[in-house]
Amino acid sequence: MLTTLTTADWIVIGMFFTVIVMIALMATRKSKGGVEDYFLGGRKMPWWLLGVSMVACTFSADTPNLVTGMVRESGVAKNWAWWSFLITGMATVFIFARLWRRTGIVTDLEFYEKRYSGKAASFLRGFRSIYLGLFFNVLIIGSVTLAAIKIGSIIFGLSPTTTVIFGSLAAVLYTAFGGFRGVVWADFFQYFIAMLGAVVAAVAALNLPEVGGLEGLVSNPAIQDKIDFLPDFSNPSVWVPMLLIPVAVQWWSVWYPGAEPGGGGYMCQKMLSAQNEQHSVAANMLFNFAHYALRPWPWIIVGLASLIIFQPDTAAMQQQASEQLTSPEINQYYNTYLQNYDAQAIPESIRDKVVDLHFQKEGLSTLHKAFPDAHPQYLKNDAAYPIMVTKTGAGWFGLIIASLIAAYMSTIGTHLNWGASYLVNDFYKRFVKPEASDRELKNVAILCTVVLAVLGGVVALTVMDNATQAFDILLLSGAGTGAVYLLRWFWWRINAATEISAMVSAFVMSIIMVFAVPDGCLANSVLDHSTTRLLITVTVVTIIWLATVYITKPENPETLRQFYALTRPGGPGWKKVVADPEIDATALEPKDAKWDMPLQILCVFIGIITIYACLFAGGFFVMLRPLAGTILSIVAVSGAVAMWKISKKIKLR
């Protein structure tokens, strides 16, 4: 079943693209400066624009699909996998945002040659510019593009190539020629379209006769085991990996773009573009509030409603299908089908049975019946979101499609500009042609933007479905390194060798854990194989980089002093540098300087409580529990007031 857009839908989509073109033209006219203007907007960006841009670039086309898939598979509590990153988000607000802004650098990779010295610092900057700017970035662009392919295939029957070309073209234009300024202004417009579309999709889902509004939703037996905000604490195999590990380990130990411990990546790019420290801090605060407290519930509502409309197959039915598929008379044909999902390669007499059993085994029979022509490669639990949005009316459906396009373009635009900033500022300008003019660097940046978009599309079209192991390696390769990114600001003894040892050991461990250690050897009665893999990697990598700290020599004292004078992080971790008897300590730290870390940590703690209170207050209102929602709303308001009063005592430039 494919969906046809009405005239009203096309008008809405046409208006959306008209505004995008106008933004691209405006940004292109204003983008006439050098590299700093192209990648940072001349460091003149206001907090409200940056905060919305931060939210928009983390709101990709696959995010609603991801949340819907989580809800369908493991319930609302599964979202703790990303809700836990609020902890590092609030630490960035009150601790790291101001430090990044003080560095005055163009990209976060430039940090390496501010904090460290010698060839090791240069190596880190050069290697990570290619690794992150090209390889890692292309894979992320490919994964986001794959979500767009799923939407185009399931809703409209578009070919993957058509979806990639038309989905990427506008984003490439305003990013390549408008630079960072084009990205953030497009993000600003796209975010509100994306959120409006998400709300419309949720309202449409609730109004379906089978759902019966909020009352019908929360009382429906089909979702009763999915609506709890917290996992089942009577079952350690559920709550330990779903809640304890993300909250206790994941947030500080794992590096991943958009949720880096201590900030970094494209989030850091937006902090560096802020007018001053106050704007950097305020932008991050706005991002965390909108990202965690405002965005999730429309998607969760759609996910819960989809469980009513498209009920998953029971565990008994899935087991029955699995047993039939392993029978000798069917198994050989099923293996043929799994190679490329080509049902035509199976004898006609058994073809429909094999396909139906496949979807029953995956728990997706109802989704398959609703969209029998959808490619099995794309028809998963996360496809329930685009399927649900097809049930909206004319005009509104066009708005939702525009919102999904907006979500896709905002993420792609940010990644293209961020990746190009690494390739141009930290590789081409630093190692290839330091004397390059601003005009030449801008031309190289435009070329890099186009190349990244093309490579991301190629990855999505050719290898993304079969890149599971490669993607697992990239994710796991950041495990255990997060603590280094936190401590390098506050402990003088962290050196370039520390970061290199953490980076290399994490990559080696990821290879070993993915390829050499079978999943069955890692799983146990409490932890699944992925959680065990993460804990082992974090432990080994932490031991290695700590040993490296004490085995290797510290950084050049002059480099450390210059870095401290530039950023002034304060604290006992820099006492040996500041207390050096051979220098005038007042050159590094004014006599009246006060270490604000205790107040900052207090604000982080209050901020976490405040945002979680907002998040769950909204959830309780959605679940028609107004008393609990009101109590948490009071907690949130009280926390916000306390946080505001305390934060005013923290010195900002």
Side-chain angles (χ1 to χ4, degrees):
M1 182 179 73
L2 302 179
T3 304
T4 302
L5 290 174
T6 66
T7 301
D9 295 325
W10 281 115
I11 290 174
V12 172
I13 294 174
M15 292 172 61
F16 167 78
F17 276 106
T18 299
V19 175
I20 291 297
V21 171
M22 293 174 61
I23 291 173
L25 292 174
M26 177 196 71
T28 301
R29 287 200 304 268
K30 291 190 175 183
S31 182
K32 299 184 182 300
V35 170
E36 190 168 294
D37 182 82
Y38 187 84
F39 290 125
L40 297 178
R43 301 188 196 272
K44 298 177 181 179
M45 297 292 106
W47 66 272
W48 51 269
L49 181 60
L50 291 176
V52 172
S53 178
M54 288 177 178
V55 189
C57 69
T58 56
F59 186 164
S60 64
D62 61 344
T63 311
N65 297 14
L66 175 66
V67 173
T68 298
M70 286 180 171
V71 171
R72 286 181 62 85
E73 293 165 8
S74 304
V76 175
K78 179 66 175 177
N79 285 279
W80 280 103
W82 65 278
W83 286 344
S84 64
F85 284 111
L86 171 64
I87 303 173
T88 189
M90 295 309 298
T92 300
V93 171
F94 291 108
I95 299 174
F96 298 104
R98 65 176 187 167
L99 295 175
W100 279 115
R101 187 60 184 82
R102 288 175 185 176
T103 62
I105 55 183
V106 175
T107 70
D108 58 321
L109 298 187
E110 201 174 328
F111 170 92
Y112 288 121
E113 293 188 303
K114 296 283 187 181
R115 176 62 174 79
Y116 310 128
S117 58
K119 294 182 179 179
S122 300
F123 166 78
L124 275 170
R125 184 178 179 184
F127 173 79
R128 289 181 73 82
S129 68
I130 299 298
Y131 172 68
L132 296 177
L134 183 61
F135 295 106
F136 200 99
N137 203 32
V138 163
L139 199 57
I140 294 175
I141 292 173
S143 67
V144 175
T145 302
L146 182 63
I149 291 174
K150 288 184 179 183
I151 294 170
S153 172
I154 291 172
I155 296 180
F156 305 114
L158 295 176
S159 70
T161 303
T162 301
T163 301
V164 170
I165 291 174
F166 286 99
S168 303
L169 187 59
V172 171
L173 288 175
Y174 72 69
T175 304
F177 296 102
F180 183 79
R181 191 176 282 105
V183 169
V184 294
W185 276 109
D187 284 348
F188 186 78
F189 168 68
Q190 289 164 347
Y191 171 71
F192 290 104
I193 296 296
M195 277 304 300
L196 179 59
V199 172
V200 169
V203 172
L206 290 172
N207 287 335
L208 292 173
E210 301 93 328
V211 177
L214 276 177
E215 291 186 4
L217 177 73
V218 299
S219 62
N220 196 293
I223 70 165
Q224 294 310 302
D225 62 339
K226 305 287 187 181
I227 61 176
D228 291 333
F229 307 157
L230 297 172
D232 180 9
F233 286 102
S234 66
N235 188 351
S237 65
V238 173
W239 70 267
V240 170
M242 194 177 290
L243 178 62
L244 180 62
I245 299 302
V247 171
V249 178
Q250 182 176 289
W251 71 269
W252 61 264
S253 65
V254 176
W255 181 95
Y256 188 76
E260 302 90 339
Y266 55 76
M267 301 297 284
C268 181
Q269 182 187 26
K270 298 181 192 302
M271 287 185 268
L272 293 170
S273 71
Q275 294 178 11
N276 51 41
E277 287 180 28
Q278 291 95 327
H279 283 262
S280 179
V281 170
N284 272 278
M285 190 70 231
L286 175 59
F287 160 72
N288 280 278
F289 172 73
H291 182 66
Y292 294 102
L294 293 184
R295 289 198 320 187
W297 291 110
W299 304 331
I300 291 173
I301 288 173
V302 173
L304 292 172
S306 76
L307 288 167
I308 298 172
I309 305 298
F310 304 106
Q311 293 190 20
D313 299 284
T314 64
M317 294 173 63
Q318 294 181 56
Q319 179 62 32
Q320 182 183 30
S322 297
E323 291 173 356
Q324 292 187 54
L325 288 170
T326 56
S327 62
E329 64 272 16
I330 295 180
N331 186 251
Q332 58 177 322
Y333 300 116
Y334 184 52
N335 289 332
T336 301
Y337 175 70
L338 289 178
Q339 291 176 8
N340 56 12
Y341 296 109
D342 183 10
Q344 300 303 315
I346 305 173
E348 187 175 355
S349 61
I350 199 174
R351 183 180 302 161
D352 290 342
K353 183 176 182 180
V354 170
V355 174
D356 290 343
L357 286 173
H358 165 75
F359 284 104
Q360 183 178 324
K361 179 178 75 74
E362 299 295 323
L364 303 170
S365 291
T366 53
L367 288 175
H368 174 57
K369 289 176 182 177
F371 280 74
D373 297 325
H375 197 289
Q377 175 182 344
Y378 307 131
L379 193 62
K380 311 290 185 183
N381 268 309
D382 62 351
Y385 189 87
I387 289 175
M388 287 292 291
V389 303
T390 63
K391 297 183 176 294
T392 54
W396 292 115
F397 182 55
L399 175 64
I400 295 174
I401 295 303
S403 76
L404 294 174
I405 296 172
Y408 170 73
M409 289 171 59
S410 63
T411 301
I412 293 299
T414 289
H415 275 278
L416 292 177
N417 188 259
W418 170 56
S421 73
Y422 283 179
L423 296 175
V424 173
N425 187 69
D426 300 297
F427 184 76
Y428 187 83
K429 181 183 178 182
R430 173 63 179 83
F431 297 101
V432 178
K433 196 173 181 181
E435 73 280 6
S437 65
D438 284 337
R439 183 179 182 84
E440 179 181 348
L441 291 173
K442 186 174 180 179
N443 289 335
V444 174
I446 293 173
L447 176 62
C448 288
T449 300
V450 175
V451 169
L452 287 172
V454 171
L455 291 177
V458 170
V459 166
L461 291 170
T462 59
V463 302
M464 200 65 220
D465 186 54
N466 297 315
T468 302
Q469 285 185 322
F471 202 60
D472 286 344
I473 290 172
L474 286 176
L475 292 177
L476 203 60
S477 66
T481 62
V484 177
Y485 301 132
L486 295 172
L487 291 174
R488 64 187 182 180
W489 292 95
F490 300 105
W491 188 19
W492 72 278
R493 198 59 180 81
I494 297 287
N495 56 16
T498 306
E499 287 215 29
I500 293 173
S501 68
M503 181 177 65
V504 172
S505 60
F507 182 76
V508 171
M509 282 297 298
S510 67
I511 296 289
I512 294 173
M513 299 304 292
V514 171
F515 287 108
V517 183
D519 292 348
C521 296
L522 297 170
N524 54 61
S525 60
V526 175
L527 302 176
D528 57 25
H529 66 272
S530 60
T531 305
T532 305
R533 182 181 287 133
L534 171 68
L535 292 177
I536 293 174
T537 303
V538 168
T539 301
V540 173
V541 172
T542 301
I543 292 172
I544 290 174
W545 73 253
L546 276 173
T548 304
V549 167
Y550 293 102
I551 292 173
T552 58
K553 294 181 179 179
E555 291 296 333
N556 183 300
E558 183 58 31
T559 300
L560 294 174
R561 286 194 288 268
Q562 290 178 359
F563 176 79
Y564 189 90
L566 180 67
T567 60
R568 292 213 300 274
W574 288 96
K575 186 176 180 180
K576 187 167 183 177
V577 174
V578 177
D580 189 334
E582 298 182 4
I583 63 169
D584 178 10
T586 58
L588 302 180
E589 190 84 85
K591 290 183 178 180
D592 61 345
K594 186 177 95 175
W595 196 42
D596 292 326
M597 183 59 70
L599 290 178
Q600 290 171 289
I601 293 176
L602 179 59
C603 283
V604 169
F605 179 73
I606 296 174
I608 292 169
I609 294 175
T610 300
I611 300 297
Y612 279 145
C614 289
L615 169 65
F616 296 121
F620 280 123
F621 284 123
V622 166
M623 298 304 169
L624 300 179
R625 298 173 61 183
L627 178 59
T630 301
I631 292 173
L632 283 180
S633 297
I634 294 172
V635 172
V637 171
S638 301
V641 172
M643 186 169 50
W644 171 256
K645 290 184 177 181
I646 297 172
S647 65
K648 289 197 296 184
K649 300 178 182 179
I650 300 174
K651 292 183 179 179
L652 294 174
R653 300 177 189 173

PDB file of all heavy atoms in Angstrom, residues 481-501:
ATOM      1  N   THR A 481      37.103   5.937  26.402  1.00  0.00           N
ATOM      2  CA  THR A 481      37.872   7.156  26.142  1.00  0.00           C
ATOM      3  C   THR A 481      37.231   8.398  26.768  1.00  0.00           C
ATOM      4  O   THR A 481      37.886   9.426  26.907  1.00  0.00           O
ATOM      5  CB  THR A 481      38.012   7.395  24.627  1.00  0.00           C
ATOM      6  OG1 THR A 481      36.701   7.579  24.061  1.00  0.00           O
ATOM      7  CG2 THR A 481      38.667   6.197  23.942  1.00  0.00           C
ATOM      8  N   GLY A 482      35.966   8.306  27.136  1.00  0.00           N
ATOM      9  CA  GLY A 482      35.245   9.474  27.612  1.00  0.00           C
ATOM     10  C   GLY A 482      35.859  10.133  28.834  1.00  0.00           C
ATOM     11  O   GLY A 482      35.896  11.367  28.935  1.00  0.00           O
ATOM     12  N   ALA A 483      36.357   9.324  29.761  1.00  0.00           N
ATOM     13  CA  ALA A 483      36.943   9.890  30.977  1.00  0.00           C
ATOM     14  C   ALA A 483      38.158  10.763  30.662  1.00  0.00           C
ATOM     15  O   ALA A 483      38.414  11.762  31.345  1.00  0.00           O
ATOM     16  CB  ALA A 483      37.330   8.773  31.940  1.00  0.00           C
ATOM     17  N   VAL A 484      38.907  10.406  29.629  1.00  0.00           N
ATOM     18  CA  VAL A 484      40.062  11.208  29.225  1.00  0.00           C
ATOM     19  C   VAL A 484      39.605  12.587  28.766  1.00  0.00           C
ATOM     20  O   VAL A 484      40.214  13.609  29.104  1.00  0.00           O
ATOM     21  CB  VAL A 484      40.854  10.504  28.106  1.00  0.00           C
ATOM     22  CG1 VAL A 484      42.017  11.382  27.636  1.00  0.00           C
ATOM     23  CG2 VAL A 484      41.376   9.164  28.583  1.00  0.00           C
ATOM     24  N   TYR A 485      38.516  12.621  27.990  1.00  0.00           N
ATOM     25  CA  TYR A 485      38.019  13.897  27.477  1.00  0.00           C
ATOM     26  C   TYR A 485      37.483  14.792  28.589  1.00  0.00           C
ATOM     27  O   TYR A 485      37.449  16.016  28.444  1.00  0.00           O
ATOM     28  CB  TYR A 485      36.929  13.646  26.432  1.00  0.00           C
ATOM     29  CG  TYR A 485      37.424  12.819  25.261  1.00  0.00           C
ATOM     30  CD1 TYR A 485      36.703  11.732  24.792  1.00  0.00           C
ATOM     31  CD2 TYR A 485      38.633  13.113  24.650  1.00  0.00           C
ATOM     32  CE1 TYR A 485      37.164  10.965  23.728  1.00  0.00           C
ATOM     33  CE2 TYR A 485      39.106  12.359  23.595  1.00  0.00           C
ATOM     34  CZ  TYR A 485      38.374  11.282  23.137  1.00  0.00           C
ATOM     35  OH  TYR A 485      38.842  10.531  22.097  1.00  0.00           O
ATOM     36  N   LEU A 486      37.068  14.194  29.693  1.00  0.00           N
ATOM     37  CA  LEU A 486      36.636  14.974  30.846  1.00  0.00           C
ATOM     38  C   LEU A 486      37.827  15.487  31.654  1.00  0.00           C
ATOM     39  O   LEU A 486      37.905  16.667  32.015  1.00  0.00           O
ATOM     40  CB  LEU A 486      35.730  14.133  31.744  1.00  0.00           C
ATOM     41  CG  LEU A 486      34.385  13.678  31.177  1.00  0.00           C
ATOM     42  CD1 LEU A 486      33.720  12.695  32.133  1.00  0.00           C
ATOM     43  CD2 LEU A 486      33.478  14.868  30.940  1.00  0.00           C
ATOM     44  N   LEU A 487      38.761  14.587  31.930  1.00  0.00           N
ATOM     45  CA  LEU A 487      39.857  14.911  32.837  1.00  0.00           C
ATOM     46  C   LEU A 487      40.940  15.779  32.208  1.00  0.00           C
ATOM     47  O   LEU A 487      41.681  16.445  32.930  1.00  0.00           O
ATOM     48  CB  LEU A 487      40.492  13.612  33.358  1.00  0.00           C
ATOM     49  CG  LEU A 487      39.626  12.788  34.318  1.00  0.00           C
ATOM     50  CD1 LEU A 487      40.305  11.461  34.652  1.00  0.00           C
ATOM     51  CD2 LEU A 487      39.354  13.567  35.593  1.00  0.00           C
ATOM     52  N   ARG A 488      41.079  15.792  30.894  1.00  0.00           N
ATOM     53  CA  ARG A 488      42.165  16.561  30.275  1.00  0.00           C
ATOM     54  C   ARG A 488      42.046  18.055  30.555  1.00  0.00           C
ATOM     55  O   ARG A 488      43.034  18.793  30.457  1.00  0.00           O
ATOM     56  CB  ARG A 488      42.182  16.301  28.770  1.00  0.00           C
ATOM     57  CG  ARG A 488      40.945  16.774  28.041  1.00  0.00           C
ATOM     58  CD  ARG A 488      40.942  16.325  26.587  1.00  0.00           C
ATOM     59  NE  ARG A 488      39.766  16.827  25.872  1.00  0.00           N
ATOM     60  CZ  ARG A 488      39.522  16.580  24.588  1.00  0.00           C
ATOM     61  NH1 ARG A 488      40.371  15.832  23.891  1.00  0.00           N
ATOM     62  NH2 ARG A 488      38.450  17.075  24.000  1.00  0.00           N
ATOM     63  N   TRP A 489      40.833  18.511  30.918  1.00  0.00           N
ATOM     64  CA  TRP A 489      40.657  19.913  31.278  1.00  0.00           C
ATOM     65  C   TRP A 489      41.118  20.209  32.703  1.00  0.00           C
ATOM     66  O   TRP A 489      41.471  21.349  33.014  1.00  0.00           O
ATOM     67  CB  TRP A 489      39.184  20.299  31.176  1.00  0.00           C
ATOM     68  CG  TRP A 489      38.631  20.311  29.787  1.00  0.00           C
ATOM     69  CD1 TRP A 489      37.958  19.299  29.166  1.00  0.00           C
ATOM     70  CD2 TRP A 489      38.687  21.383  28.843  1.00  0.00           C
ATOM     71  NE1 TRP A 489      37.590  19.681  27.900  1.00  0.00           N
ATOM     72  CE2 TRP A 489      38.025  20.961  27.679  1.00  0.00           C
ATOM     73  CE3 TRP A 489      39.230  22.672  28.876  1.00  0.00           C
ATOM     74  CZ2 TRP A 489      37.893  21.775  26.550  1.00  0.00           C
ATOM     75  CZ3 TRP A 489      39.097  23.487  27.761  1.00  0.00           C
ATOM     76  CH2 TRP A 489      38.442  23.036  26.609  1.00  0.00           C
ATOM     77  N   PHE A 490      41.121  19.202  33.569  1.00  0.00           N
ATOM     78  CA  PHE A 490      41.297  19.459  35.002  1.00  0.00           C
ATOM     79  C   PHE A 490      42.482  18.733  35.641  1.00  0.00           C
ATOM     80  O   PHE A 490      42.695  18.845  36.832  1.00  0.00           O
ATOM     81  CB  PHE A 490      40.010  19.077  35.747  1.00  0.00           C
ATOM     82  CG  PHE A 490      38.817  19.847  35.275  1.00  0.00           C
ATOM     83  CD1 PHE A 490      37.858  19.256  34.471  1.00  0.00           C
ATOM     84  CD2 PHE A 490      38.664  21.190  35.602  1.00  0.00           C
ATOM     85  CE1 PHE A 490      36.774  19.976  34.021  1.00  0.00           C
ATOM     86  CE2 PHE A 490      37.583  21.914  35.158  1.00  0.00           C
ATOM     87  CZ  PHE A 490      36.634  21.310  34.360  1.00  0.00           C
ATOM     88  N   TRP A 491      43.236  17.963  34.851  1.00  0.00           N
ATOM     89  CA  TRP A 491      44.397  17.260  35.402  1.00  0.00           C
ATOM     90  C   TRP A 491      45.578  17.468  34.461  1.00  0.00           C
ATOM     91  O   TRP A 491      45.577  16.988  33.335  1.00  0.00           O
ATOM     92  CB  TRP A 491      44.078  15.773  35.557  1.00  0.00           C
ATOM     93  CG  TRP A 491      45.139  15.000  36.287  1.00  0.00           C
ATOM     94  CD1 TRP A 491      46.116  15.491  37.096  1.00  0.00           C
ATOM     95  CD2 TRP A 491      45.328  13.581  36.256  1.00  0.00           C
ATOM     96  NE1 TRP A 491      46.904  14.490  37.588  1.00  0.00           N
ATOM     97  CE2 TRP A 491      46.438  13.292  37.085  1.00  0.00           C
ATOM     98  CE3 TRP A 491      44.667  12.531  35.613  1.00  0.00           C
ATOM     99  CZ2 TRP A 491      46.899  11.994  37.279  1.00  0.00           C
ATOM    100  CZ3 TRP A 491      45.120  11.244  35.811  1.00  0.00           C
ATOM    101  CH2 TRP A 491      46.222  10.973  36.636  1.00  0.00           C
ATOM    102  N   TRP A 492      46.569  18.176  34.951  1.00  0.00           N
ATOM    103  CA  TRP A 492      47.705  18.529  34.122  1.00  0.00           C
ATOM    104  C   TRP A 492      48.473  17.314  33.617  1.00  0.00           C
ATOM    105  O   TRP A 492      49.125  17.362  32.569  1.00  0.00           O
ATOM    106  CB  TRP A 492      48.667  19.420  34.922  1.00  0.00           C
ATOM    107  CG  TRP A 492      49.422  18.658  35.997  1.00  0.00           C
ATOM    108  CD1 TRP A 492      48.968  18.334  37.226  1.00  0.00           C
ATOM    109  CD2 TRP A 492      50.741  18.129  35.887  1.00  0.00           C
ATOM    110  NE1 TRP A 492      49.911  17.628  37.921  1.00  0.00           N
ATOM    111  CE2 TRP A 492      51.024  17.482  37.124  1.00  0.00           C
ATOM    112  CE3 TRP A 492      51.729  18.122  34.909  1.00  0.00           C
ATOM    113  CZ2 TRP A 492      52.235  16.857  37.387  1.00  0.00           C
ATOM    114  CZ3 TRP A 492      52.941  17.494  35.154  1.00  0.00           C
ATOM    115  CH2 TRP A 492      53.184  16.874  36.392  1.00  0.00           C
ATOM    116  N   ARG A 493      48.340  16.183  34.308  1.00  0.00           N
ATOM    117  CA  ARG A 493      49.156  15.006  33.967  1.00  0.00           C
ATOM    118  C   ARG A 493      48.653  14.269  32.715  1.00  0.00           C
ATOM    119  O   ARG A 493      49.378  13.473  32.133  1.00  0.00           O
ATOM    120  CB  ARG A 493      49.167  14.045  35.167  1.00  0.00           C
ATOM    121  CG  ARG A 493      50.278  13.021  35.129  1.00  0.00           C
ATOM    122  CD  ARG A 493      51.653  13.676  35.097  1.00  0.00           C
ATOM    123  NE  ARG A 493      52.714  12.666  35.058  1.00  0.00           N
ATOM    124  CZ  ARG A 493      53.106  12.035  33.949  1.00  0.00           C
ATOM    125  NH1 ARG A 493      52.513  12.299  32.795  1.00  0.00           N
ATOM    126  NH2 ARG A 493      54.089  11.150  33.995  1.00  0.00           N
ATOM    127  N   ILE A 494      47.407  14.518  32.307  1.00  0.00           N
ATOM    128  CA  ILE A 494      46.917  13.940  31.052  1.00  0.00           C
ATOM    129  C   ILE A 494      47.759  14.498  29.906  1.00  0.00           C
ATOM    130  O   ILE A 494      47.921  15.711  29.782  1.00  0.00           O
ATOM    131  CB  ILE A 494      45.434  14.285  30.822  1.00  0.00           C
ATOM    132  CG1 ILE A 494      44.556  13.672  31.922  1.00  0.00           C
ATOM    133  CG2 ILE A 494      44.975  13.816  29.445  1.00  0.00           C
ATOM    134  CD1 ILE A 494      44.393  12.184  31.821  1.00  0.00           C
ATOM    135  N   ASN A 495      48.295  13.618  29.075  1.00  0.00           N
ATOM    136  CA  ASN A 495      49.123  14.065  27.955  1.00  0.00           C
ATOM    137  C   ASN A 495      48.642  13.448  26.640  1.00  0.00           C
ATOM    138  O   ASN A 495      47.681  12.680  26.611  1.00  0.00           O
ATOM    139  CB  ASN A 495      50.593  13.737  28.209  1.00  0.00           C
ATOM    140  CG  ASN A 495      50.818  12.252  28.473  1.00  0.00           C
ATOM    141  OD1 ASN A 495      49.957  11.416  28.183  1.00  0.00           O
ATOM    142  ND2 ASN A 495      51.976  11.920  29.023  1.00  0.00           N
ATOM    143  N   ALA A 496      49.332  13.795  25.554  1.00  0.00           N
ATOM    144  CA  ALA A 496      48.934  13.289  24.237  1.00  0.00           C
ATOM    145  C   ALA A 496      49.030  11.769  24.179  1.00  0.00           C
ATOM    146  O   ALA A 496      48.184  11.108  23.553  1.00  0.00           O
ATOM    147  CB  ALA A 496      49.807  13.920  23.157  1.00  0.00           C
ATOM    148  N   ALA A 497      50.044  11.218  24.846  1.00  0.00           N
ATOM    149  CA  ALA A 497      50.192   9.759  24.858  1.00  0.00           C
ATOM    150  C   ALA A 497      48.990   9.097  25.522  1.00  0.00           C
ATOM    151  O   ALA A 497      48.583   7.988  25.136  1.00  0.00           O
ATOM    152  CB  ALA A 497      51.478   9.375  25.588  1.00  0.00           C
ATOM    153  N   THR A 498      48.406   9.761  26.512  1.00  0.00           N
ATOM    154  CA  THR A 498      47.210   9.228  27.175  1.00  0.00           C
ATOM    155  C   THR A 498      46.070   9.086  26.182  1.00  0.00           C
ATOM    156  O   THR A 498      45.406   8.042  26.114  1.00  0.00           O
ATOM    157  CB  THR A 498      46.774  10.152  28.322  1.00  0.00           C
ATOM    158  OG1 THR A 498      47.872  10.367  29.210  1.00  0.00           O
ATOM    159  CG2 THR A 498      45.613   9.535  29.098  1.00  0.00           C
ATOM    160  N   GLU A 499      45.824  10.147  25.425  1.00  0.00           N
ATOM    161  CA  GLU A 499      44.735  10.093  24.450  1.00  0.00           C
ATOM    162  C   GLU A 499      45.013   9.060  23.360  1.00  0.00           C
ATOM    163  O   GLU A 499      44.108   8.340  22.925  1.00  0.00           O
ATOM    164  CB  GLU A 499      44.507  11.471  23.828  1.00  0.00           C
ATOM    165  CG  GLU A 499      43.839  12.453  24.762  1.00  0.00           C
ATOM    166  CD  GLU A 499      42.902  13.396  24.034  1.00  0.00           C
ATOM    167  OE1 GLU A 499      42.340  12.995  22.996  1.00  0.00           O
ATOM    168  OE2 GLU A 499      42.728  14.525  24.518  1.00  0.00           O
ATOM    169  N   ILE A 500      46.247   8.974  22.904  1.00  0.00           N
ATOM    170  CA  ILE A 500      46.587   8.010  21.860  1.00  0.00           C
ATOM    171  C   ILE A 500      46.398   6.588  22.364  1.00  0.00           C
ATOM    172  O   ILE A 500      45.838   5.728  21.670  1.00  0.00           O
ATOM    173  CB  ILE A 500      48.035   8.232  21.371  1.00  0.00           C
ATOM    174  CG1 ILE A 500      48.141   9.572  20.640  1.00  0.00           C
ATOM    175  CG2 ILE A 500      48.475   7.083  20.458  1.00  0.00           C
ATOM    176  CD1 ILE A 500      49.548   9.962  20.257  1.00  0.00           C
ATOM    177  N   SER A 501      46.842   6.330  23.589  1.00  0.00           N
ATOM    178  CA  SER A 501      46.696   4.973  24.142  1.00  0.00           C
ATOM    179  C   SER A 501      45.229   4.612  24.319  1.00  0.00           C
ATOM    180  O   SER A 501      44.820   3.473  24.046  1.00  0.00           O
ATOM    181  CB  SER A 501      47.428   4.872  25.485  1.00  0.00           C
ATOM    182  OG  SER A 501      46.797   5.662  26.484  1.00  0.00           O
TER     183      SER A 501
END
